[in-house]
Amino acid sequence: MRPQPISQNARASAEAEAALLGILFQDPDTLRHVRPFLRPHHFSEPLHERLYGALEEEADRGSGFNPMTVAARFSGEPAMIELGGMGYIGLLIANAPPSESAGDCAKAVFDAAIRSNIAVICAEGLRAATEGSEEAFGIASATRERLETLAHEAATDDDSMVPAPEVAERAIEAMQEKAVHGRSRGYLT
């Protein structure tokens, strides 16, 4: 399941993705700094996801690579053509922040993906609680399990990341409140 980013995160995520890709096309060695935690599925823009995945594939082949060769693979794709073809890659490179920003950009992409997943999981749990066709405990348990799995993905030593266990706990409490009293106490925004 590819969650759609919540609207307030969508623009920031797309900007961080573009900045990171610009850095990677300009300085492919920076990929080694973001690969330990960033995966293609963390990108909200499908073209960005495919470009990042192709950069990873090229890096896996070893012995350095030319990122422009990677970009050329996508030159005929409608999404790439719509954005200006290879000119889009040039724009990404021209607007790229310094390579030292790669980690911050990657964390912003990762953070937006995790937040998006939290929103989707909680919305699905809330919908199930509102419909009332399942037992509340089953809904809360299933939602908690999905949020805990996501929390493990989001776990990091960096304090700037989403505290997923806390968000999960609040989401469960809100759904339980909704199931018992027919209304939420406002934890979900």
Side-chain angles (χ1 to χ4, degrees), residues 82-100:
E82 184 179 322
L83 292 169
M86 290 297 283
Y88 179 62
I89 302 301
L91 190 64
L92 291 175
I93 293 170
N95 293 324
S99 294
E100 296 77 29

Side-chain angles (χ1 to χ4, degrees), residues 23-159:
I23 292 169
L24 295 174
F25 278 109
Q26 183 175 308
D27 181 6
D29 290 337
T30 58
L31 182 60
R32 65 186 166 87
H33 297 291
V34 300
R35 274 190 94 177
F37 65 92
L38 192 65
R39 302 287 176 265
H41 72 269
H42 291 129
F43 286 76
S44 64
E45 295 291 326
L47 178 62
H48 292 170
E49 174 186 14
R50 292 191 306 276
L51 286 168
Y52 182 78
L55 289 169
E56 282 192 327
E57 288 171 13
E58 283 298 313
D60 288 342
R61 290 192 179 116
S63 70
F65 65 95
N66 180 346
M68 294 314 284
T69 304
V70 172
R73 282 199 260 165
F74 295 90
S75 63
E77 281 198 25
M80 186 78 144
I81 293 168
E82 184 179 322
L83 292 169
M86 290 297 283
Y88 179 62
I89 302 301
L91 190 64
L92 291 175
I93 293 170
N95 293 324
S99 294
E100 296 77 29
S101 302
D104 290 337
C105 293
K107 287 176 184 173
V109 171
F110 181 82
D111 186 70
I114 297 299
R115 288 175 184 273
S116 228
N117 277 295
I118 291 169
V120 168
I121 292 167
C122 291
E124 289 171 354
L126 186 58
R127 184 175 52 248
T130 304
E131 289 172 358
S133 60
E134 297 177 51
E135 288 186 25
F137 180 77
I139 295 167
S141 294
T143 303
R144 172 183 232 133
E145 183 177 317
R146 291 178 67 199
L147 286 167
E148 286 175 349
T149 299
L150 186 61
H152 289 293
E153 181 181 347
T156 178
D157 293 334
D158 184 347
D159 292 335

